[in-house]
């Protein structure tokens, strides 16, 4: 069971890595294109800026889920370092519960309601004319991923495979 | 007790507890904001509002400069640029008493300037310099202190991501171009002040010095570092001269760094995916912090905290110099507990209206604020540069605190100078009419 | 949180407190307070404290903010009819404009937002927009040729500037001052009070009063809050809004006068061009708009006939 979960986790991370690299590469090309079209072709395309902004949102939010998977969000372990290992385990579990709850309440429920509202109201973006709900959908989606990663980490902490 | 006061107390207490329990900073901010907002409004609108603030908080073209400067820095880091800068700095200043410590400061300034990130400077320079300095008799704690504090100069010397964040938080009243050019003198002043203290210690403790490098050697190392340093002129010069915006300049920096790294053979095309992934992670750390910080900042506006704070300050203190001092003391406290990005995003809207009403230029305040919060980056309990710096020096945080104290005192003195002598920050922006 | 029997409605907008529309909103707050004997209060968040126009609109729909003021252009993302109000040279003059807005046509457009939880209460005068440039004077549409003009990021504004011969450059408002100063763009377009309050007049030599479009502002209430009001309260809110709209027109005129004085004294050359030349050039915008939105042609005809 755990083995299969490990494989699933690894593969999910791989897919996210590929996505993040692609989004970042597109972002670079998009803004480069904006600069060159402005200076060399002397015209500007209004979609380049919007595309860049939306890509940044995806990069940041999907990246945040990836950081959750890798447990690489910025955190302060000043006090934590002084705890005994039994206490550390409890704290680690508590951290995952906190992440899980925030992901569930704000990112999944709040984010889904936001996506639902903007889709329901047919809000389109200014120039690309894509529904804003699609852009925002990365938010509840990443929240869902974060919840899964938290559960996975909790299992790992319980079986003492994560100790720090 | 009014609900506003209660919810602000709940906010700070829950934030502090979560933070101390090693809950990631971004989540600590997000969770405490959520709890506090839900004391005020219905739950579904409340959590949806937080979700909306998090997303719209990073929906900004100006913020794109951050991932691009991160990426440019990452490309250069892979290519041994740290070594090239250290060698150049060494040929310049290693022959002075305490020479290697100067090398550390100067290399941190150059590297921090290029990469726009203090953490990158701390780890890149510190990992090389601490061992070299130890070989020549510098205690590791001392080297770490030099490295930690001097890395913060990179946040003032452009390009600087935190100044971009401040420009965003100032609501456009301070332009990125003006902030960038304003950061030069305070950043250099801080570097020089740290060197001054190093000289004092070096002479007293008789640290070794090296042979004066012949001009030819300086020239060789300069040539090797030249194209990396040229980037600074292209980027900052381009922004200041109005050739391009900060975001455009940042993507030019990526292109330039990539071409340079390919020419030097520092990096191969097949390395780019991993460079992009590392940069994506760094970007996500900062951006997710910005997301939840923007939500907390919104909550403060919703609770009229900026208004309350401004009334309080203006009623309690009659003299504007005292108010500036009080604001800086508050920021020093904030800085010890909060990372610099959320601190800038959350406290700029609170203090900027007050200082502007008292006649301070938003650009000047931005420099003061960043310099102030840099000090907090080097102090426990929450100090990312302190942790990274002691980490790469392979010593514990508590070992480094005592030798660090005089350096922090120097930073406070520089802060007071920059605070009360606006010309240090404003001379260059005025010269360039920004 | 509230004293028994009083309701507080949060109102957020993006304008500075010196702006005439903010003064209109203060009038709204005052009238409502008086009418309701202090039982209906408005708490105002100016200066974009709670977010940009589009963000606050979303907060109205989400239900955490009750009232906001946005440009009609922003509302056109929801209600296409608002697009029509931005068509260049649609209104003959201010009188025609407000006859339309305060008549059945304007009211029906305000109503239409309810479907999106954004119920319109009244219009505020936001004057008419004109070009300003840093170095090259625009005296006829031909002068626009090759000039990079910053516009709001919406299709009609982009089409209009391009149709007149300029090169439309959408850009964030906050970056504009530096962009004009450094020559990233050659100019922009806005109404006189914004031209002055943004300090853009400091970096512009010419202000060409071609008055190409007159997009009004709209005061909106979230239907989530509107439906919680009693019938009597609804009447108070509506009346207070209309009173504030009347008052705002005067504040606006004063502000235009004062702004023009400041700009002139700062050395900006005010150019009064032959408007019909610009109107002629921009006709294609209307034609294209009607081609893309055939269902709105009748509304345009109605407005023209009004
Ligand atoms: Na820098
Ligand atoms: Na600290």
């Amino acid at each position: 069971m755990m083995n299969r979960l490990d494989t699933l986790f690894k593969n999910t991370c791989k897919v996210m890595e590929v996505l993040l690299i692609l989004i970042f590469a597109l972002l670079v090309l998009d803004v480069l294109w904006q600069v060159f079209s402005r200076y060399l072709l002397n015209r500007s395309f209004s979609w380049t800026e919007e595309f860049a902004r939306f890509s940044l949102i995806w990069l940041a939010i999907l990246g945040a889920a990836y950081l959750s998977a890798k447990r690489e969000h910025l955190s302060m372990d000043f006090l934590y370092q002084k705890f005994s290992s039994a206490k550390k385990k409890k704290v680690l579990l508590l951290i995952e519960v906190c992440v899980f709850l925030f992901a569930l309440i704000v990112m999944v429920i709040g984010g889904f309601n936001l996506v639902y509202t903007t889709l329901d109201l047919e809000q389109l973006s200014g120039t690309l004319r894509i529904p804003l709900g699609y852009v925002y959908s990365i938010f509840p989606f990443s929240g869902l991923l974060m919840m899964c990663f938290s559960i996975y980490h909790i299992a790992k902490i319980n079986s003492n495979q994560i100790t720090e | 007790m009014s609900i506003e006061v209660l919810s602000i107390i709940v906010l700070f207490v829950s934030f502090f507890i979560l933070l101390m329990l090693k809950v990631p900073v971004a989540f600590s901010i997000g969770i405490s904001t959520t709890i506090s907002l839900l004391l005020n409004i219905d739950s579904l609108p409340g959590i949806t509002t937080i979700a909306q603030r998090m997303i719209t908080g990073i929906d900004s073209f100006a913020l794109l400069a951050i991932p691009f400067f991160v990426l440019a820095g990452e490309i250069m880091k892979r290519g041994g640029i740290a070594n090239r800068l250290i060698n150049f700095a060494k040929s310049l200043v290693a022959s002075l008493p305490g020479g290697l410590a100067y090398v550390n400061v100067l290399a941190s300034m150059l590297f921090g300037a290029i990469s726009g990130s203090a953490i990158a400077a701390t780890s890149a320079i510190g990992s090389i310099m601490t061992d070299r300095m130890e070989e020549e008799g510098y205690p590791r704690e001392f080297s770490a202190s030099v490295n930690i504090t001097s890395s913060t100069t990179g946040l003032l010397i452009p390009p600087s991501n935190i100044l971009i964040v401040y420009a965003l938080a100032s609501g456009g009243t301070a332009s990125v171009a003006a902030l960038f050019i304003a950061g030069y003198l305070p950043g250099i002043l801080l570097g020089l002040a740290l060197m001054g203290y190093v000289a004092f210690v070096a002479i007293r403790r008789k640290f070794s010095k090296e042979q004066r490098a012949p001009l030819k050697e300086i020239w060789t190392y300069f040539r090797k570092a030249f194209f990396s340093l040229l980037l600074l002129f292209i980027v900052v010069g381009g922004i200041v001269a109005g050739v391009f915006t900060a975001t455009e300049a940042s993507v030019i920096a990526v292109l330039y760094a990539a071409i340079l790294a390919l020419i030097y053979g520092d990096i191969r095309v097949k390395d780019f995916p991993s460079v992009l992934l590392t940069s994506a992670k760094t970007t996500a750390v900062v951006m997710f912090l910005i997301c939840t910080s923007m939500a907390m900042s919104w909550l403060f506006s919703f609770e009229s905290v900026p208004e309350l704070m401004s009334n309080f300050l203006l009623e309690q203190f009659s003299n504007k110099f005292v108010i500036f001092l009080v604001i800086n003391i508050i920021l020093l406290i904030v800085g010890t507990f909060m990372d610099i990005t959320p601190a800038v995003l959350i406290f700029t809207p609170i203090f900027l209206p007050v200082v502007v009403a008292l006649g301070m230029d938003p650009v000047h305040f931005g420099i003061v604020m960043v310099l102030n919060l840099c000090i907090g980056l080097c102090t426990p309990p929450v100090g990312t540069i302190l942790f990274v710096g002691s980490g790469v020096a392979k010593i514990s945080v508590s070992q480094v605190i005592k030798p660090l104290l005089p350096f922090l005192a120097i930073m406070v003195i520089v802060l007071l100078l920059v605070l009360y002598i606006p010309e240090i920050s404003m001379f260059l922006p005025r010269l360039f009419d920004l | 949180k509230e004293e028994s029997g009083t309701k507080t409605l949060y109102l957020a907008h993006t304008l500075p407190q010196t702006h005439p529309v903010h003064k209109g909103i203060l009038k709204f707050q005052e009238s409502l307070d008086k009418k309701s004997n202090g039982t209906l209060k408005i708490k105002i968040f100016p200066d974009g404290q709670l977010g940009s126009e589009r963000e606050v609109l979303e907060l109205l729909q989400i239900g955490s903010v009750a009232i906001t003021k946005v440009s009609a252009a922003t509302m056109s993302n929801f209600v296409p009819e608002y697009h029509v109000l931005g068509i260049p040279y649609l209104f003959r003059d201010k009188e025609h404009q407000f006859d339309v807005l305060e008549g059945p046509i304007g009211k029906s457009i305000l109503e239409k937002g309810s479907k999106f939880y954004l119920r319109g209460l009244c219009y505020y005068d936001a004057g008419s927009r004109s070009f300003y440039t840093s170095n090259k004077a625009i005296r006829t549409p031909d002068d626009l040729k090759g000039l990079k003009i910053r516009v709001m990021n919406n299709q009609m504004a982009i089409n209009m500037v391009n149709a007149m011969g300029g090169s439309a450059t959408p850009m964030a408002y906050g970056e504009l001052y530096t962009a004009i100063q450094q020559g990233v763009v050659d100019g922009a377009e806005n109404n006189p009070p914004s031209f002055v309050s943004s300090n853009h007049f400091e970096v512009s030599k010419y202000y060409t009063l071609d008055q190409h479009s007159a997009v009004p502002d709209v005061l909106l209430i979230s239907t989530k809050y509107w439906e919680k009001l009693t019938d009597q309260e609804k009447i108070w809110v509506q009346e207070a809004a209309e009173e504030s709209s009347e008052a705002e027109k005067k504040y606006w005129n004063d502000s235009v006068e004062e702004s023009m004085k400041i700009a002139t004294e700062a050395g900006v050359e005010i150019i009064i061009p032959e408007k019909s030349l610009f109107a002629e050039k921009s006709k294609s915008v209307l034609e294209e708009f009607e081609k893309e939105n055939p269902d709105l042609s009748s509304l345009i005809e109605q407005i023209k006939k009004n």
Side-chain angles (χ1 to χ4, degrees):
Chain A
M1 178 65 195
M2 208 58 200
N3 262 336
R4 248 199 248 158
L5 265 185
D6 286 340
T7 318
L8 182 63
F9 175 75
K10 274 200 195 104
N11 289 338
T12 312
C13 287
K14 278 264 158 57
V15 174
M16 290 173 80
E17 282 167 14
V18 173
L19 277 175
L20 288 172
I21 292 167
L22 272 179
I23 296 170
F24 208 149
L26 279 177
L27 190 54
V28 174
L29 294 178
D30 174 81
V31 181
L32 273 177
W33 171 245
Q34 167 164 335
V35 176
F36 283 105
S37 60
R38 180 134 127 214
Y39 289 100
L40 301 181
L41 312 178
N42 200 22
R43 59 173 299 200
S44 37
F45 302 90
S46 46
W47 58 265
T48 49
E49 179 179 329
E50 204 172 86
F51 181 83
R53 279 178 18 235
F54 294 164
S55 306
L56 179 65
I57 293 175
W58 276 57
L59 182 68
I61 305 295
L62 191 66
Y66 181 72
L67 290 172
S68 270
K70 299 275 163 178
R71 300 166 69 239
E72 284 184 31
H73 278 287
L74 179 70
S75 63
M76 298 302 147
D77 58 359
F78 191 71
L79 197 62
Y80 174 82
Q81 294 298 355
K82 299 188 166 80
F83 291 155
S84 67
S85 57
K87 212 167 180 185
K88 275 185 182 169
K89 186 171 171 179
K90 277 187 199 150
V91 170
L92 285 180
L93 287 171
L94 183 83
I95 295 169
E96 295 302 333
V97 171
C98 285
V99 171
F100 180 89
L101 286 176
F102 184 75
L104 170 68
I105 294 171
V106 172
M107 298 188 68
V108 175
I109 302 178
F112 180 78
N113 190 36
L114 181 67
V115 169
Y116 173 80
T117 310
T118 43
L119 282 181
D120 181 42
L121 302 177
E122 300 156 28
Q123 275 219 71
L124 300 180
S125 71
T127 46
L128 289 172
R129 311 304 293 165
I130 44 175
L132 276 176
Y134 292 175
V135 179
Y136 294 172
S137 65
I138 191 66
F139 200 70
F141 177 73
S142 287
L144 209 58
L145 285 173
M146 284 183 183
M147 287 167 63
C148 298
F149 295 143
S150 286
I151 293 172
Y152 175 75
H153 290 149
I154 287 172
K156 287 268 162 186
I157 295 165
N158 272 329
S159 58
N160 293 325
Q161 286 175 310
I162 292 178
T163 52
E164 270 303 316
Chain B
M1 194 188 309
S2 80
I3 190 86
E4 276 97 349
V5 177
L6 178 73
S7 54
I8 294 301
I9 293 174
V10 167
L11 178 83
F12 278 113
V13 171
S14 56
F15 169 68
F16 190 72
I17 293 173
L18 291 165
L19 198 64
M20 286 299 113
L21 288 175
K22 205 185 158 225
V23 174
V25 182
F27 288 87
S28 302
I29 294 172
I31 294 168
S32 54
T33 302
T34 310
I35 297 173
S36 180
L37 184 62
L38 291 188
L39 291 174
N40 288 279
I41 53 178
D42 296 342
S43 34
L44 191 59
I47 56 176
T48 312
T49 300
I50 292 177
Q52 193 246 20
R53 294 325 293 173
M54 285 177 67
I55 297 177
T56 53
I58 53 169
D59 184 6
S60 147
F61 191 69
L63 279 182
L64 273 167
I66 293 178
F68 292 151
F69 281 131
V70 166
L71 178 58
E74 185 62 33
I75 293 171
M76 289 188 285
K77 219 165 77 184
R78 302 264 172 137
I81 180 159
N83 259 318
R84 262 178 252 141
L85 292 177
I86 288 171
N87 286 335
F88 172 54
K90 204 170 149 190
S91 70
L92 283 179
V93 293
S95 63
L96 302 166
L100 276 189
Y102 291 148
V103 174
N104 194 331
V105 176
L106 194 57
S108 292
M109 285 166 75
L110 293 174
F111 192 89
I114 289 175
S115 72
S117 149
I119 292 177
T122 319
S123 59
I125 306 296
S127 53
I128 301 169
M129 286 305 293
T130 326
D131 289 343
R132 282 205 205 171
M133 288 172 77
E134 192 178 34
E135 281 166 27
E136 309 218 358
Y138 295 81
R140 293 188 85 84
E141 307 85 74
F142 179 78
S143 309
S145 306
V146 174
N147 184 44
I148 288 165
T149 46
S150 65
S151 298
T152 61
T153 55
L155 298 181
L156 292 165
I157 302 174
S160 156
N161 287 341
I162 194 67
L163 289 175
I164 295 169
V165 171
Y166 174 80
L168 175 81
S170 78
T173 55
S175 75
V176 173
L179 286 163
F180 272 16
I181 195 103
Y184 268 116
L185 294 183
I188 292 170
L189 178 69
L190 178 58
L192 289 177
L194 294 172
M195 286 186 190
Y197 175 70
V198 166
F200 171 75
V201 178
I203 291 167
R204 230 184 37 179
R205 289 166 60 176
K206 302 203 170 55
F207 284 140
S208 70
K209 55 181 172 182
E210 302 200 345
Q211 293 279 310
R212 182 186 292 271
L215 270 179
K216 208 178 133 202
E217 198 184 313
I218 298 182
W219 174 242
T220 311
Y221 287 127
F222 172 72
R223 248 180 26 220
K224 285 189 178 160
F226 173 74
F227 285 104
S228 314
L229 293 173
L230 184 63
L231 178 64
L232 286 181
F233 289 94
I234 297 176
V235 168
V236 182
I239 296 171
V240 171
V243 183
F244 25 67
T245 65
T247 307
E248 292 172 341
S250 65
V251 82
I252 300 276
V254 170
L255 186 67
Y256 182 91
I259 292 173
L260 201 63
L262 285 171
I263 290 175
Y264 274 152
D266 292 339
I267 212 173
R268 281 160 300 175
V269 175
K270 74 175 169 66
D271 297 329
F272 277 112
S274 89
V275 173
L276 282 169
L277 183 64
T278 313
S279 311
K281 285 204 288 189
T282 313
T283 301
V285 170
V286 179
M287 288 293 158
F288 202 59
L289 263 175
I290 294 178
C291 287
T292 51
S293 302
M294 293 301 257
M296 186 185 269
S297 175
W298 187 88
L299 175 75
F300 278 167
S301 295
F302 195 72
E303 299 285 358
S304 304
V305 174
E307 208 183 317
L308 294 174
M309 180 60 88
S310 126
N311 290 344
F312 168 78
L313 287 171
L314 296 174
E315 275 165 22
Q316 294 297 309
F317 308 100
S318 50
N319 183 314
K320 73 173 184 176
F321 297 104
V322 178
I323 295 181
F324 292 163
L325 191 68
V326 171
I327 288 176
N328 271 275
I329 292 170
I330 297 173
L331 285 176
L332 279 173
I333 298 168
V334 166
T336 54
F337 294 108
M338 202 179 247
D339 193 54
I340 190 162
T341 306
V344 165
L345 288 170
I346 293 163
F347 288 89
T348 301
I350 295 180
F351 290 130
L352 187 61
V354 184
V355 298
V356 167
L358 295 172
M360 193 189 261
D361 193 288
V363 172
H364 179 207
F365 183 66
I367 301 297
V368 169
M369 185 172 201
V370 168
L371 176 55
N372 183 311
L373 295 170
C374 279
I375 299 172
L377 288 175
C378 311
T379 64
V382 175
T384 35
I385 297 187
L386 172 67
F387 299 150
V388 173
S390 37
V392 294
K394 301 191 187 68
I395 51 175
S396 76
V397 170
S398 44
Q399 276 174 291
V400 82
I401 287 175
K402 207 171 146 215
L404 192 65
L405 285 175
F407 287 94
L408 293 177
I410 301 285
M411 291 182 80
V412 172
I413 294 170
V414 173
L415 171 64
L416 289 173
L417 289 174
V418 171
L419 171 62
Y420 287 118
I421 311 176
E423 283 70 25
I424 301 175
S425 314
M426 300 309 295
F427 172 70
L428 288 179
R430 286 195 188 126
L431 189 68
F432 287 94
D433 201 18
L434 284 171
Chain C
K1 169 159 200 177
E2 290 155 359
E3 295 161 47
S4 58
T6 70
K7 282 185 194 165
T8 304
L9 298 174
Y10 283 19
L11 185 158
H13 67 77
T14 57
L15 299 168
Q17 298 182 48
T18 48
H19 199 283
V21 173
H22 178 75
K23 290 178 192 156
I25 287 170
L26 288 177
K27 175 77 185 168
F28 171 61
Q29 180 187 39
E30 187 197 307
S31 307
L32 189 58
D33 191 64
K34 212 183 279 167
K35 282 178 198 297
S36 70
N37 266 324
T39 58
L40 261 187
K41 296 217 176 286
I42 301 285
K43 183 165 182 213
I44 304 175
F45 296 85
D47 286 322
Q49 285 172 13
L50 297 190
S52 69
E53 286 196 340
R54 212 187 55 74
E55 291 163 12
V56 175
L57 281 182
E58 262 177 31
L59 294 179
L60 259 67
Q61 295 167 327
I62 291 167
S64 51
V65 172
I67 305 178
T68 190
K69 183 281 333 162
V70 299
S71 165
T74 313
M75 270 307 283
S76 52
N77 290 327
F78 298 97
V79 181
E81 280 78 0
Y82 278 105
H83 267 307
V84 172
L85 304 180
I87 292 173
Y89 300 106
L90 176 70
F91 299 111
R92 290 185 297 275
D93 51 29
K94 186 160 280 185
E95 204 179 328
H96 176 213
Q97 183 191 8
F98 272 85
D99 275 350
V100 172
L101 294 179
E102 283 162 8
I105 299 178
K107 290 213 161 117
S108 81
I109 297 178
L110 287 180
E111 273 289 332
K112 285 209 167 75
S114 298
K115 200 174 122 203
F116 302 93
Y117 306 116
L118 303 167
R119 187 193 161 86
L121 289 170
C122 67
Y123 295 96
Y124 287 131
D125 189 1
S128 43
R129 303 171 73 95
S130 297
F131 293 113
Y132 49 88
T133 41
S134 53
N135 286 311
K136 288 184 198 149
I138 301 173
R139 291 172 206 280
T140 67
D142 289 341
D143 297 325
L144 265 162
K145 202 149 279 160
L147 293 192
K148 281 186 195 154
I149 302 290
R150 180 267 175 185
V151 291
M152 290 185 287
N153 199 353
N154 81 49
Q155 206 51 51
M156 181 139 13
I158 295 171
N159 289 351
M160 184 198 68
V161 168
N162 289 339
M164 288 186 187
S167 165
T169 311
M171 174 185 284
Y173 196 54
E175 289 174 21
L176 185 52
Y177 182 95
T178 325
I180 298 175
Q181 187 180 39
Q182 301 182 330
V184 176
V185 293
D186 299 299
E189 43 91 58
N190 217 322
N191 54 52
S194 302
F195 177 53
V196 168
S197 66
S198 60
N199 290 329
H200 293 166
F201 73 101
E202 295 171 359
V203 286
S204 307
K205 280 202 203 108
Y206 305 101
Y207 194 23
T208 305
L209 296 181
D210 66 308
Q211 304 188 314
H212 45 254
S213 63
V215 189
D217 282 353
V218 199
L219 190 70
L220 303 153
I221 183 166
S222 160
T223 54
K224 296 192 172 169
Y225 284 87
W226 177 256
E227 277 153 17
K228 278 190 225 156
L229 298 177
T230 65
D231 288 346
Q232 180 58 61
E233 285 169 338
K234 284 179 186 169
I235 293 171
W236 288 334
V237 169
Q238 188 58 49
E239 283 176 359
E242 279 160 19
E243 280 170 27
S244 74
S245 168
E246 252 344 276
E248 189 270 344
K249 282 185 219 162
K250 197 185 151 298
Y251 302 143
W252 185 270
N253 282 339
D254 295 347
S255 172
V256 168
E257 237 168 70
E258 199 187 306
S259 309
M260 294 306 284
K261 205 173 126 210
I262 294 173
T264 314
E265 278 169 7
V268 176
E269 186 190 331
I270 309 292
I271 298 166
I272 303 191
E274 181 54 48
K275 272 172 35 174
S276 59
L277 294 176
F278 290 86
E280 189 60 37
K281 278 262 185 184
S282 64
K283 264 195 177 146
S284 63
V285 179
L286 174 62
E287 283 158 17
E288 200 175 320
F289 182 79
E290 284 192 308
K291 215 188 290 166
E292 278 172 25
N293 305 275
D295 46 325
L296 292 176
S297 312
S298 69
L299 176 66
I300 296 170
E301 282 316 303
Q302 269 178 293
I303 290 176
K304 279 185 178 166
K305 268 188 237 142
N306 195 291

